[in-house]
Amino acid sequence: DAGITQSPRHKVTETGTPVTLRCHQTENHRYMYWYRQDPGHGLRLIHYSYGVKDTDKGEVSDGYSVSRSKTEDFLLTLESATSSQTSVYFCAIRFQGGEQFFGPGTRLTVL
Amino acid sequence: GQQLNQSPQSMFIQEGEDVSMNCTSSSIFNTWLWYKQDPGEGPVLLIALYKAGELTSNGRLTAQFGITRKDSFLNISASIPSDVGIYFCAGQLNTGTASKLTFGTGTRLQVTL
């Protein structure tokens, strides 16, 4: 257990609505990541953060934004959810040796 | 984006058998990681490898960092039913600020009694 929690764990929303997912860590790790996992695509990086207010894009960042106003929280926002964003979202933190540890995931369904 | 090639894609074995799977890449990595994912849960780190040629064990699991730095192998000895799940490899190059992981396509393991 790397002290990562994600909320909510499940969410159903409608197309066009904004959605924010939260990742919370308790161990002050500098690096945090958001991934999505889809059948046939595996885990794909959406955005990552290398410190408070320091973020950058991953390979599938279109339609997503992130914010990190304090070390322990990394928020992922879908400004206007689309059905293609139905997925399972994982947050991860990075330890000193480069290993990443994942949260339990959020299952998001966009109708 | 790039994905690492994992083989086999799936395996159906009997309890007690040994299992081998591998991961290959067209580019080199500085770190190889192996994860297991159970249904409805996040990937759990099993083994981390940091040096070409390194062989590391974690209980019944043994993983190796290939000497070319383009591949890695995971072996599970004497499989048990709780080994069922999807196993992912991931490579990391540690460049810049991100140290991003590149993931394999996964090996689904099913174990029968």
Side-chain angles (χ1 to χ4, degrees), chain A residues 7 18 26-27 45 61 66 73 82 95 101 105-106:
Chain A
S7 58
T26 59
E27 299 181 358
L45 182 65
S61 59
V66 289
D73 289 325
T82 67
F95 277 40
F101 289 82
T106 294

Side-chain angles (χ1 to χ4, degrees), chain A residues 14-99:
Chain A
E14 295 192 346
T15 297
T17 60
V19 176
T20 295
L21 309 182
R22 179 181 183 237
C23 177
H24 179 79
Q25 58 144 332
T26 59
E27 299 181 358
N28 288 321
H29 293 282
R30 181 181 171 195
Y31 291 87
M32 298 183 75
Y33 304 79
W34 275 108
Y35 293 89
R36 61 178 288 173
Q37 187 176 39
D38 305 288
H41 291 280
L43 284 152
R44 293 181 291 175
L45 182 65
I46 305 172
H47 281 279
Y48 63 96
S49 169
Y50 46 96
V52 173
K53 298 194 191 312
D54 292 322
T55 65
D56 206 346
K57 296 178 180 180
E59 63 177 303
V60 289
S61 59
D62 287 348
Y64 301 95
S65 62
V66 289
S67 65
R68 192 160 176 211
S69 59
K70 45 187 179 176
T71 300
E72 58 264 36
D73 289 325
F74 191 30
L75 304 181
L76 176 71
T77 296
L78 291 65
E79 301 289 349
S80 177
T82 67
S83 58
S84 65
Q85 293 176 312
T86 292
S87 186
V88 182
Y89 291 87
F90 289 101
C91 172
I93 57 174
R94 187 184 133 207
F95 277 40
Q96 199 79 352
E99 313 91 340

Side-chain angles (χ1 to χ4, degrees), chain B residues 3-53:
Chain B
Q3 274 190 308
L4 305 178
N5 293 317
Q6 260 186 269
S7 65
Q9 285 190 330
S10 65
M11 302 182 74
F12 208 155
I13 63 168
Q14 287 194 321
E15 185 179 5
E17 288 185 348
D18 297 344
V19 174
S20 292
M21 60 189 79
N22 68 74
C23 194
T24 58
S25 169
S26 57
S27 47
I28 63 172
F29 291 108
N30 295 334
T31 303
W32 281 95
L33 306 171
W34 283 92
Y35 292 89
K36 178 178 183 260
Q37 186 173 24
D38 293 327
E41 299 183 13
V44 173
L45 182 65
L46 299 173
I47 292 181
L49 302 158
Y50 304 102
K51 218 163 81 168

Side-chain angles (χ1 to χ4, degrees), chain A residues 94 97-98 100, chain B residues 2 4 25 27-33 65 69 90-102:
Chain A
R94 187 184 133 207
Q100 289 187 23
Chain B
Q2 181 193 4
L4 305 178
S25 169
S27 47
I28 63 172
F29 291 108
N30 295 334
T31 303
W32 281 95
L33 306 171
F65 192 141
R69 295 168 63 195
Q92 185 179 71
L93 192 50
N94 295 336
T95 58
T97 55
S99 295
K100 300 173 191 175
L101 292 181
T102 301

